[in-house]
Amino acid sequence: MDPIHTEIMVLGAGPGGYAAAFYAADLGKKVILVEQDKKLGGVCLNRGCIPSKALIYGTRMIIEARESAHRGITFAPPQIELEKLRAWKNSIVEKLSGGVAFLAKKRGVQVLAGRGYFESSQTLRVETSQGQQLVHFQKAIVAVGSNAALPKAFDLGNPRVMTSTEALEVEEVPVDLLVIGGGYIGMELGTVYANLGSNVVLVEAMDSLLSGADPDLVRPVFKYAQAAFRGLRFNTRVTSMATKGKKILVATEGLDKSPKEDLFDRVLVSVGRVPRCRDLGLENTKVEQDERGFIKVNEKQETNDPAILAIGDIAGGVLLAHKATKEGRIAVETIVGEPSTSAGVIIPAVVFTDPEVAWCGLTEADAKAKGIAHQVAKFPWSASGRALTFDRIDGLTKLIIDSETERILGVGIVGHGAGELISEGVVVIEMGGTVRDLAECVHPHPTLSETIMEAAEVFYHHATHSFSPRKDQE
Ligand code: FAD
């Protein structure tokens, strides 16, 4: 096959790669998008964000039906047809992935199916079904993403030990499920299986769930997990795992160092993600990696190799889809010579637990660690009419405010639909908005968005639905 010449080659068609390829094509560049999977969309669309959210929504119905009994509406116990649930989830993935392929075609982005390997700083060899194809490019954007970490000690070659990829297939509802790791993936998928009826035990090496998140926001999720999971073991490590008949025998050790053994039907290992840069040929380029294998980039997404940029999970930092997409845009702008930087960009985080947790900007702990004089204003959802109508008063809206300028430094929300609410926080921080801006903008009633306005009003001690006394009123 004759070599192909292109201006921009994007390696990996996840939310970073396809967004970058589309943007570059929209700006008039000749683009080739190389992807080894049959379906475009990467981890997020095929094995991450989308299927997990579909399952969370689908299975949450079981709990909602149960919870409506005290409102005088009862349902018969659910009949769960896993095949149909899977088919519905897969149909969403198919639709979206087909949409990405359609949009690539419309834009004239050439999609090359196959595994890419750097022969040099400006040549990629792609193993396609028809043989090897060389692609010569002026600039490359590497967007190959990450894989679920599966430590050797847990890799028994037994399908009952799952990473998130297998767990999302919901082959069965295990009676007893062990989730290793209380980060967002373990918590989200643990919730799906708990909703389906599994007895979920979660072990976490640290002393809390969702490490790194504001403890005020984690508290309601912890309460949920206490009620919905059969067990929560903190400061606990899995020391060994072995196949025992149809079960997995798991030994754990807590702070007291006394070993404990349990049998589980399935185990979900959710202990983090590792960069996917094996067999990429990076050694044939000037690209440098950090000690964990992530590609080193600057604020413009440039690597050490002048022809190669990197974005998304492979470039480290927070491993989230919208961060990958934003970096894709920054990389393209860098290539076309526009001033663009990731410095100061606010990347929100959302954990789709029950309730959801979302935050952006600085947390209270960040502000303290950076020595920034700040104040905190909180509005509990027990005072929100809308939260009551949802029967979800287990929420909190929290603002971190610069004491001197009254600018909003951070917003944290826990509660029903927090993920949909957090964007207001992103906008206000990006616009350099103040707590007064939030307090004075009229928010529609009754909505959960009012909790952001009322948290701002708490700062001035005049929130309508919460009494926050001034010093002289205390
Ligand atoms: P990826 O999506 O990993 O895509 C990389 C692509 O590169 C893949 O398609 C891969 O096949 C391809 N590739 C790799 N090597 C080669 C090669 N040599 N040749 C050709 N192609 C190659 N993030 C959120 O923001 N919100 C969420 O709710 C969320 N939920 C998640 C739930 C789960 C269970 C998981 C696992 C992840 C979740 N994430 C979520 C994280 C999100 O999926 C990732 O941050 C995102 O997919 C990273 O995008 P990316 O473009 O960097 O890479």
Side-chain angles (χ1 to χ4, degrees):
M1 280 188 271
D2 292 338
I4 306 174
H5 294 266
T6 188
E7 288 177 289
I8 300 180
M9 185 282 295
V10 180
L11 185 59
Y18 78 74
F22 288 6
Y23 187 34
D26 292 345
L27 297 183
K29 294 285 172 191
K30 181 172 159 45
V31 185
I32 287 186
L33 177 60
V34 180
E35 171 55 56
Q36 64 186 6
D37 276 1
K38 283 202 189 78
K39 285 187 280 177
L40 303 182
V43 167
C44 176
L45 203 160
N46 294 292
R47 302 178 289 283
C49 328
I50 297 295
S52 59
K53 267 78 257 181
L55 291 176
I56 288 168
Y57 170 75
T59 61
R60 168 77 198 154
M61 291 297 137
I62 300 168
I63 309 303
E64 292 200 341
R66 198 184 302 148
E67 286 176 351
S68 78
H70 80 275
R71 291 175 220 130
I73 301 170
T74 51
F75 297 87
Q79 302 286 320
I80 299 170
E81 293 177 61
L82 283 186
E83 223 165 276
K84 271 196 182 168
L85 178 65
R86 256 196 314 269
W88 169 73
K89 173 208 59 155
N90 291 342
S91 72
I92 297 167
V93 170
E94 295 285 339
K95 208 172 282 169
L96 288 172
S97 165
V100 174
F102 171 79
L103 290 172
K105 200 167 172 193
K106 278 275 180 201
R107 288 174 152 101
V109 170
Q110 184 184 347
V111 177
L112 187 56
R115 188 175 162 70
Y117 179 92
F118 283 96
E119 294 269 8
S120 74
S121 288
Q122 283 186 302
T123 307
L124 188 83
R125 168 165 47 84
V126 184
E127 305 291 338
T128 74
S129 54
Q130 277 99 48
Q132 286 188 359
Q133 172 71 64
L134 290 184
V135 180
H136 295 303
F137 52 84
Q138 290 169 16
K139 294 279 181 184
I141 299 176
V142 182
V144 292
S146 64
N147 281 326
L150 184 60
K152 272 214 172 76
F154 303 163
D155 190 2
L156 307 180
N158 180 337
R160 294 180 167 274
V161 178
M162 312 178 287
T163 67
S164 56
T165 304
E166 295 75 41
L168 286 167
E169 288 310 310
V170 210
E171 270 182 29
E172 62 172 17
V173 179
V175 176
D176 292 303
L177 171 72
L178 175 69
V179 176
I180 309 177
Y184 84 91
I185 292 177
M187 278 304 297
E188 289 186 3
L189 292 177
T191 301
V192 166
Y193 278 91
N195 289 349
L196 286 168
S198 290
N199 298 317
V200 176
V201 172
L202 185 142
V203 297
E204 165 57 52
M206 314 283 276
D207 59 4
S208 71
L209 297 170
L210 306 178
S211 132
D214 183 323
D216 279 346
L217 307 184
V218 175
R219 211 160 289 123
V221 180
F222 173 70
K223 266 196 189 155
Y224 156 84
Q226 267 186 321
F229 294 178
R230 199 191 74 200
L232 281 176
R233 301 185 199 158
F234 295 106
N235 299 306
T236 300
R237 291 180 176 280
V238 172
T239 51
S240 71
M241 232 191 292
T243 301
K244 191 150 192 186
K246 286 194 167 168
K247 305 238 175 198
I248 309 290
L249 180 68
V250 182
T252 55
E253 196 178 87
L255 276 183
D256 60 3
K257 297 280 174 215
S258 61
K260 189 169 168 25
E261 283 193 337
D262 301 272
L263 285 170
F264 293 94
D265 298 294
R266 286 195 177 235
V267 175
L268 165 62
V269 182
S270 48
V271 294
R273 311 267 313 162
V274 288
R276 196 179 344 205
C277 43
R278 265 184 55 197
D279 298 331
L280 260 191
L282 290 180
E283 62 283 3
N284 301 324
T285 70
K286 297 192 192 78
V287 170
E288 284 183 5
Q289 292 163 262
D290 68 15
E291 61 290 346
R292 294 171 61 205
F294 291 103
I295 293 179
K296 289 190 193 171
V297 292
N298 63 15
E299 304 173 340
K300 294 170 163 295
Q301 306 304 136
E302 293 165 320
T303 68
N304 223 40
D305 191 314
I308 303 176
L309 296 87
I311 60 169
D313 282 10
I314 194 67
V318 289
L319 307 188
L320 291 172
H322 42 279
K323 176 258 192 190
T325 302
K326 180 66 185 173
E327 289 182 349
R329 298 188 82 85
I330 294 169
V332 171
E333 284 164 1
T334 300
I335 291 173
V336 300
E338 282 179 27
S340 194
T341 173
S342 62
V345 172
I346 301 297
I347 306 288
V350 181
V351 184
F352 293 83
T353 37
D354 191 2
E356 291 177 4
V357 181
W359 68 96
C360 62
L362 298 186
T363 62
E364 193 177 353
D366 292 335
K368 269 186 200 146
K370 286 177 189 264
I372 300 172
H374 65 280
Q375 291 182 58
V376 173
K378 298 181 195 176
F379 186 79
W381 286 24
S382 49
S384 154
R386 188 58 175 138
L388 271 155
T389 66
F390 276 127
D391 228 345
R392 292 307 301 259
I393 57 168
D394 54 342
L396 177 78
T397 298
K398 181 168 174 176
L399 305 177
I400 314 300
I401 302 145
D402 186 302
S403 303
E404 206 180 311
T405 61
E406 294 193 358
R407 275 172 68 160
I408 301 293
L409 300 173
V411 177
I413 306 176
V414 58
H416 176 77
E420 304 294 337
L421 294 172
I422 198 62
S423 301
E424 182 174 351
V426 177
V427 173
V428 78
I429 299 173
E430 286 280 10
M431 305 286 286
T434 63
V435 64
R436 186 162 296 282
D437 292 326
L438 286 180
E440 291 193 355
C441 284
V442 177
H443 287 61
H445 180 73
T447 64
L448 296 170
S449 71
E450 287 170 293
T451 67
I452 300 175
M453 175 186 69
E454 293 225 43
E457 290 172 348
V458 164
F459 177 79
Y460 295 111
H461 307 281
H462 55 56
T464 308
H465 298 101
S466 154
F467 181 57
S468 45
R470 297 186 309 265
K471 278 230 154 57
D472 60 317
Q473 289 174 313
E474 278 171 348

